[in-house]
Amino acid sequence: MSTVISASKSDDALDVLTLLALKIAPRQFDLSYRFSNISIRDQIVRAQMLIQQLLQLGAVGADADRADPHLSFDLLICGAGAAGLAAALEAERLGLRFVLMDTDARAGVGGVLRSPAARYVSAAMYEWPHSNHEDHRYPLRSAAFGASKVALQLDMVAPLQAAQVGSAINAAYNTEVTNWTQRALNWGTQSYVRSESCFVRDAKLESWSKKRLQEMINGRVSVHGLPLKFRSLPALCVTSGGKMEAHRFRFVVYAMGYAKEKNQYADGKDCPVAYSNAGFWECDKILQPSLGFAHSPRVAILGSGDGALQDVLRCLLKADHPLHAWEKIIANPAVAASVEISQALRELATFDMHATMAATWSTSPRIFRRLDLRFAKVAKELLASAAVSAAVTSAVQGMLRSDIKEVVLITHSGYFSKAYALNRFLVILLYMVLKKTTAGSAPCLLFRRGPVKNFSVAGHATMQRGGALQLTSGNEEFDLIIIRGGLKTDTLDAFPHRIGLTGRDTGRAGLGRIPLPIRPPLL
């Protein structure tokens, strides 16, 4: 007896994970919103996989042209940051026609890669403790991954500040970006029949175009109940310099970055108007002597994720970035080659992998609580080892800043939430070392659990960096308060320029927790 399997309908092939995870409406994708993995590499991988998959399935390119030859372009790509530029370069490599648009009038790659903040990025820094964390190029050149069949590539030998990465990308792809920009110089010339890919700066989607896009999911319970090609896109109008053109596209790709950070010290409680909090990608004074104060300050950091953990390390250690701190810890060749370090890295990699997989399928807080305990066990064993304890302790103590009095990390739950293994382990190790450090110049690191009941500042002077926090244990004054409460999730407030992100994106948060490949699979 044999079973006859009927042929799939044309839309069935489009229900692949790459497209499902990025779809926010029929023919509309978002590379940024509701993803757990948001490193620069993750953004590039998502963009490249999307473009490759659309071509592989015949949704764009020559196959799509034969089915419907009347459309001007395959793609409208909104946003020219790392993700948008990666999508455009991949589309160019694969022979697709697109319009890349960005609200910024300045030349070069946009988004956080313009940030002057002293934040370092790398394609693989946060792969630690896996062995490939030292290969900062993108994509990895290892023979195990095959040929590098992607357009945007990064040739980095070490982590760089975000603006430096942006400058490197601008230099590497100046020819392509210049050509696209030149083709859009006559934007708004109605008599010109536009068919070549172009880059429109200082551009915006007209409000009626946004409304038409949003109407594509009106009345629907979930975007995942709608086939990707449920209906065709309306003609979309893009304006630049007061001049407008309308075109038909097969798909829209939103690559407009992430939501703004919350400016709340607790759920539903806004910070005082006189308080000023430097955002994660904004310039701050942490690297200045005494963090810009005339005395050694007390610092409170509110948050449990990567942003909070990074700022703990920046406040307490003399290291450019977390990987730099680890490199100093194992700078002694005997320590780096020791059995104890090798065993610790293997255990940490295993624990982190299990937690990442578990968090993909569950939102239980016990996952990260247990991960903290397991990381703490590894740190404790290292510091108890006769072979490496003294060297590890000495290396950490040698990095300590002497111009900080105390850092208090305040988490609502008492454990760290989703964070890269490197940041998580370094903060735990640092806490254990400082507990045993008796030097008078050494700073303190304290962990506090529970909600912040109130936040007040003295007087009405603006741009105040600190204030008083009412904690479960009582009121405390801090010279500097850093809030890393995550991103705004109210899509109407956080994404006024975004299309269709409402409660109808059922399942998207779950899909966004699935770990990405380290580079696009070879299709």
Side-chain angles (χ1 to χ4, degrees), residues 14-51:
L14 297 176
D15 286 338
V16 296
L17 184 57
T18 303
L19 305 189
L20 286 175
L22 301 176
K23 182 176 75 170
I24 61 169
R27 296 186 178 273
Q28 299 174 64
F29 300 101
D30 193 333
L31 299 174
S32 305
Y33 181 60
R34 303 200 80 170
F35 289 102
S36 295
N37 306 287
I38 59 175
S39 72
I40 184 173
R41 190 193 70 210
D42 294 324
Q43 297 177 55
I44 294 171
V45 168
R46 272 196 290 271
Q48 293 174 338
M49 286 199 304
L50 171 62
I51 304 305

Short mmCIF file of all heavy atoms in Angstrom, two decimals, residues 14-51:
data_model
loop_
_atom_site.label_atom_id
_atom_site.label_comp_id
_atom_site.label_asym_id
_atom_site.label_seq_id
_atom_site.Cartn_x
_atom_site.Cartn_y
_atom_site.Cartn_z
N LEU A 14 6.21 29.01 0.87
CA LEU A 14 6.60 30.25 1.51
C LEU A 14 6.45 30.19 3.03
O LEU A 14 6.84 31.13 3.72
CB LEU A 14 5.77 31.42 0.96
CG LEU A 14 5.95 31.69 -0.54
CD1 LEU A 14 5.02 32.79 -0.99
CD2 LEU A 14 7.39 32.05 -0.86
N ASP A 15 5.90 29.11 3.56
CA ASP A 15 5.76 28.97 5.00
C ASP A 15 7.00 28.34 5.61
O ASP A 15 6.94 27.35 6.33
CB ASP A 15 4.52 28.12 5.33
CG ASP A 15 3.23 28.89 5.11
OD1 ASP A 15 3.29 30.13 5.11
OD2 ASP A 15 2.18 28.26 4.93
N VAL A 16 8.15 28.89 5.29
CA VAL A 16 9.41 28.43 5.86
C VAL A 16 9.76 29.35 7.03
O VAL A 16 9.29 30.49 7.11
CB VAL A 16 10.54 28.43 4.81
CG1 VAL A 16 10.24 27.44 3.70
CG2 VAL A 16 10.74 29.83 4.23
N LEU A 17 10.59 28.87 7.94
CA LEU A 17 10.85 29.60 9.17
C LEU A 17 11.40 30.99 8.93
O LEU A 17 11.02 31.95 9.60
CB LEU A 17 11.80 28.79 10.05
CG LEU A 17 12.10 29.37 11.44
CD1 LEU A 17 10.81 29.56 12.22
CD2 LEU A 17 13.06 28.46 12.19
N THR A 18 12.30 31.14 7.96
CA THR A 18 12.89 32.45 7.69
C THR A 18 11.82 33.49 7.41
O THR A 18 11.85 34.60 7.93
CB THR A 18 13.84 32.37 6.48
OG1 THR A 18 14.84 31.40 6.74
CG2 THR A 18 14.49 33.71 6.21
N LEU A 19 10.82 33.12 6.61
CA LEU A 19 9.78 34.06 6.23
C LEU A 19 8.74 34.21 7.34
O LEU A 19 8.25 35.32 7.60
CB LEU A 19 9.12 33.62 4.93
CG LEU A 19 10.06 33.39 3.73
CD1 LEU A 19 9.26 33.17 2.47
CD2 LEU A 19 11.01 34.56 3.55
N LEU A 20 8.40 33.11 7.99
CA LEU A 20 7.41 33.18 9.06
C LEU A 20 7.87 34.07 10.21
O LEU A 20 7.09 34.83 10.78
CB LEU A 20 7.11 31.78 9.60
CG LEU A 20 6.26 30.87 8.71
CD1 LEU A 20 6.17 29.48 9.33
CD2 LEU A 20 4.88 31.45 8.49
N ALA A 21 9.15 33.96 10.57
CA ALA A 21 9.66 34.72 11.71
C ALA A 21 9.72 36.21 11.43
O ALA A 21 9.69 37.03 12.35
CB ALA A 21 11.05 34.21 12.09
N LEU A 22 9.81 36.59 10.16
CA LEU A 22 9.98 38.00 9.79
C LEU A 22 8.69 38.64 9.30
O LEU A 22 8.60 39.87 9.22
CB LEU A 22 11.05 38.13 8.71
CG LEU A 22 12.45 37.61 9.07
CD1 LEU A 22 13.38 37.70 7.86
CD2 LEU A 22 13.02 38.38 10.24
N LYS A 23 7.68 37.84 8.98
CA LYS A 23 6.45 38.37 8.39
C LYS A 23 5.63 39.12 9.44
O LYS A 23 5.38 38.61 10.53
CB LYS A 23 5.62 37.22 7.81
CG LYS A 23 4.33 37.67 7.14
CD LYS A 23 3.59 36.51 6.50
CE LYS A 23 2.91 35.64 7.53
NZ LYS A 23 2.01 34.65 6.91
N ILE A 24 5.18 40.32 9.10
CA ILE A 24 4.28 41.05 9.98
C ILE A 24 2.94 41.33 9.31
O ILE A 24 1.99 41.77 9.96
CB ILE A 24 4.89 42.38 10.45
CG1 ILE A 24 5.19 43.29 9.27
CG2 ILE A 24 6.13 42.14 11.29
CD1 ILE A 24 5.55 44.71 9.68
N ALA A 25 2.86 41.06 8.01
CA ALA A 25 1.63 41.26 7.25
C ALA A 25 1.88 40.65 5.88
O ALA A 25 3.02 40.33 5.53
CB ALA A 25 1.30 42.75 7.13
N PRO A 26 0.84 40.47 5.08
CA PRO A 26 1.08 39.97 3.72
C PRO A 26 2.10 40.84 2.99
O PRO A 26 1.98 42.07 2.98
CB PRO A 26 -0.31 40.06 3.07
CG PRO A 26 -1.26 39.91 4.21
CD PRO A 26 -0.60 40.63 5.35
N ARG A 27 3.12 40.19 2.48
CA ARG A 27 4.17 40.84 1.67
C ARG A 27 4.99 41.88 2.45
O ARG A 27 5.64 42.73 1.85
CB ARG A 27 3.57 41.48 0.41
CG ARG A 27 2.95 40.46 -0.53
CD ARG A 27 2.49 41.07 -1.84
NE ARG A 27 1.94 40.07 -2.73
CZ ARG A 27 2.66 39.33 -3.59
NH1 ARG A 27 3.96 39.52 -3.65
NH2 ARG A 27 2.08 38.43 -4.36
N GLN A 28 4.95 41.81 3.76
CA GLN A 28 5.71 42.76 4.58
C GLN A 28 6.52 42.02 5.64
O GLN A 28 6.00 41.16 6.34
CB GLN A 28 4.76 43.75 5.26
CG GLN A 28 3.94 44.57 4.27
CD GLN A 28 2.91 45.43 4.96
OE1 GLN A 28 3.25 46.32 5.73
NE2 GLN A 28 1.64 45.16 4.71
N PHE A 29 7.80 42.38 5.74
CA PHE A 29 8.73 41.76 6.69
C PHE A 29 9.36 42.83 7.56
O PHE A 29 9.56 43.98 7.13
CB PHE A 29 9.86 41.02 5.96
CG PHE A 29 9.38 39.92 5.05
CD1 PHE A 29 9.29 40.12 3.69
CD2 PHE A 29 9.03 38.68 5.56
CE1 PHE A 29 8.86 39.11 2.84
CE2 PHE A 29 8.59 37.66 4.74
CZ PHE A 29 8.51 37.88 3.37
N ASP A 30 9.70 42.44 8.80
CA ASP A 30 10.41 43.35 9.70
C ASP A 30 11.63 42.61 10.23
O ASP A 30 11.52 41.53 10.79
CB ASP A 30 9.50 43.76 10.85
CG ASP A 30 10.08 44.93 11.64
OD1 ASP A 30 11.31 45.07 11.66
OD2 ASP A 30 9.31 45.69 12.24
N LEU A 31 12.81 43.22 10.05
CA LEU A 31 14.07 42.60 10.47
C LEU A 31 14.44 42.93 11.90
O LEU A 31 15.45 42.43 12.41
CB LEU A 31 15.20 43.06 9.55
CG LEU A 31 15.06 42.70 8.07
CD1 LEU A 31 16.18 43.35 7.26
CD2 LEU A 31 15.06 41.20 7.86
N SER A 32 13.65 43.76 12.58
CA SER A 32 14.10 44.31 13.86
C SER A 32 13.25 43.95 15.06
O SER A 32 13.79 43.70 16.14
CB SER A 32 14.17 45.85 13.76
OG SER A 32 14.97 46.25 12.69
N TYR A 33 11.95 43.96 14.93
CA TYR A 33 11.08 43.97 16.10
C TYR A 33 10.82 42.58 16.66
O TYR A 33 10.61 41.62 15.94
CB TYR A 33 9.75 44.64 15.72
CG TYR A 33 8.77 44.74 16.85
CD1 TYR A 33 9.08 45.43 18.01
CD2 TYR A 33 7.53 44.14 16.76
CE1 TYR A 33 8.18 45.53 19.05
CE2 TYR A 33 6.61 44.24 17.79
CZ TYR A 33 6.95 44.93 18.93
OH TYR A 33 6.06 45.01 19.96
N ARG A 34 10.83 42.49 18.02
CA ARG A 34 10.46 41.30 18.78
C ARG A 34 11.43 40.14 18.58
O ARG A 34 11.03 38.98 18.53
CB ARG A 34 9.03 40.86 18.48
CG ARG A 34 8.00 41.93 18.74
CD ARG A 34 6.61 41.40 18.91
NE ARG A 34 6.42 40.85 20.26
CZ ARG A 34 5.24 40.49 20.74
NH1 ARG A 34 4.16 40.59 19.98
NH2 ARG A 34 5.13 40.02 21.97
N PHE A 35 12.71 40.43 18.47
CA PHE A 35 13.72 39.39 18.38
C PHE A 35 14.59 39.41 19.64
O PHE A 35 14.95 40.47 20.15
CB PHE A 35 14.60 39.58 17.15
CG PHE A 35 13.89 39.28 15.87
CD1 PHE A 35 13.41 40.30 15.07
CD2 PHE A 35 13.67 37.98 15.47
CE1 PHE A 35 12.73 40.03 13.90
CE2 PHE A 35 12.99 37.70 14.30
CZ PHE A 35 12.52 38.73 13.51
N SER A 36 14.95 38.22 20.12
CA SER A 36 15.81 38.12 21.28
C SER A 36 17.27 38.32 20.90
O SER A 36 18.08 38.77 21.72
CB SER A 36 15.64 36.75 21.96
OG SER A 36 14.33 36.61 22.47
N ASN A 37 17.63 37.95 19.70
CA ASN A 37 19.02 38.03 19.24
C ASN A 37 19.17 39.26 18.34
O ASN A 37 18.65 39.27 17.23
CB ASN A 37 19.40 36.76 18.48
CG ASN A 37 19.13 35.51 19.30
OD1 ASN A 37 19.84 35.21 20.25
ND2 ASN A 37 18.07 34.78 18.97
N ILE A 38 19.88 40.27 18.84
CA ILE A 38 19.88 41.54 18.12
C ILE A 38 21.27 42.10 17.88
O ILE A 38 21.45 43.29 17.70
CB ILE A 38 19.03 42.59 18.88
CG1 ILE A 38 19.57 42.82 20.29
CG2 ILE A 38 17.57 42.19 18.92
CD1 ILE A 38 18.86 43.93 21.04
N SER A 39 22.28 41.24 17.89
CA SER A 39 23.63 41.72 17.60
C SER A 39 23.71 42.15 16.13
O SER A 39 22.82 41.86 15.33
CB SER A 39 24.66 40.62 17.86
OG SER A 39 24.58 39.62 16.86
N ILE A 40 24.79 42.85 15.79
CA ILE A 40 24.94 43.28 14.40
C ILE A 40 24.96 42.09 13.45
O ILE A 40 24.41 42.13 12.36
CB ILE A 40 26.21 44.16 14.23
CG1 ILE A 40 26.29 44.69 12.79
CG2 ILE A 40 27.48 43.40 14.60
CD1 ILE A 40 27.40 45.68 12.58
N ARG A 41 25.58 40.98 13.90
CA ARG A 41 25.60 39.80 13.05
C ARG A 41 24.20 39.23 12.87
O ARG A 41 23.82 38.81 11.77
CB ARG A 41 26.52 38.73 13.63
CG ARG A 41 26.77 37.57 12.67
CD ARG A 41 27.40 36.38 13.34
NE ARG A 41 26.46 35.74 14.25
CZ ARG A 41 26.82 35.08 15.35
NH1 ARG A 41 28.08 35.04 15.70
NH2 ARG A 41 25.91 34.51 16.11
N ASP A 42 23.41 39.21 13.94
CA ASP A 42 22.05 38.69 13.84
C ASP A 42 21.24 39.49 12.83
O ASP A 42 20.46 38.93 12.05
CB ASP A 42 21.37 38.74 15.21
CG ASP A 42 22.01 37.80 16.22
OD1 ASP A 42 22.46 36.72 15.81
OD2 ASP A 42 22.09 38.17 17.40
N GLN A 43 21.40 40.81 12.84
CA GLN A 43 20.66 41.65 11.90
C GLN A 43 21.06 41.33 10.46
O GLN A 43 20.22 41.23 9.56
CB GLN A 43 20.93 43.11 12.20
CG GLN A 43 20.45 43.55 13.57
CD GLN A 43 20.82 45.00 13.85
OE1 GLN A 43 20.48 45.90 13.08
NE2 GLN A 43 21.54 45.24 14.94
N ILE A 44 22.37 41.18 10.24
CA ILE A 44 22.86 40.91 8.89
C ILE A 44 22.40 39.53 8.41
O ILE A 44 21.96 39.36 7.27
CB ILE A 44 24.39 41.01 8.85
CG1 ILE A 44 24.82 42.47 9.10
CG2 ILE A 44 24.95 40.54 7.52
CD1 ILE A 44 26.32 42.65 9.31
N VAL A 45 22.47 38.54 9.30
CA VAL A 45 22.05 37.18 8.94
C VAL A 45 20.58 37.16 8.56
O VAL A 45 20.18 36.55 7.56
CB VAL A 45 22.33 36.20 10.10
CG1 VAL A 45 21.64 34.86 9.86
CG2 VAL A 45 23.83 35.97 10.25
N ARG A 46 19.73 37.82 9.36
CA ARG A 46 18.30 37.84 9.05
C ARG A 46 18.05 38.45 7.68
O ARG A 46 17.26 37.94 6.88
CB ARG A 46 17.54 38.64 10.12
CG ARG A 46 17.11 37.81 11.31
CD ARG A 46 16.06 38.52 12.12
NE ARG A 46 16.59 39.67 12.82
CZ ARG A 46 17.13 39.63 14.03
NH1 ARG A 46 17.19 38.49 14.68
NH2 ARG A 46 17.59 40.72 14.60
N ALA A 47 18.73 39.58 7.40
CA ALA A 47 18.53 40.26 6.12
C ALA A 47 18.96 39.38 4.96
O ALA A 47 18.23 39.24 3.96
CB ALA A 47 19.31 41.58 6.11
N GLN A 48 20.13 38.78 5.06
CA GLN A 48 20.64 37.97 3.95
C GLN A 48 19.81 36.71 3.75
O GLN A 48 19.53 36.31 2.61
CB GLN A 48 22.11 37.62 4.22
CG GLN A 48 23.02 38.84 4.16
CD GLN A 48 24.45 38.55 4.55
OE1 GLN A 48 24.73 37.57 5.24
NE2 GLN A 48 25.38 39.40 4.14
N MET A 49 19.39 36.07 4.85
CA MET A 49 18.56 34.87 4.71
C MET A 49 17.22 35.19 4.05
O MET A 49 16.72 34.42 3.23
CB MET A 49 18.32 34.22 6.07
CG MET A 49 19.51 33.49 6.65
SD MET A 49 19.05 32.31 7.95
CE MET A 49 18.18 33.37 9.10
N LEU A 50 16.63 36.32 4.42
CA LEU A 50 15.35 36.70 3.84
C LEU A 50 15.46 36.87 2.33
O LEU A 50 14.65 36.31 1.57
CB LEU A 50 14.86 38.01 4.47
CG LEU A 50 13.63 38.65 3.82
CD1 LEU A 50 12.43 37.73 3.92
CD2 LEU A 50 13.34 40.01 4.44
N ILE A 51 16.45 37.62 1.87
CA ILE A 51 16.59 37.88 0.43
C ILE A 51 16.89 36.58 -0.31
O ILE A 51 16.30 36.30 -1.37
CB ILE A 51 17.70 38.92 0.18
CG1 ILE A 51 17.43 40.21 0.97
CG2 ILE A 51 17.83 39.21 -1.31
CD1 ILE A 51 16.09 40.84 0.71
#
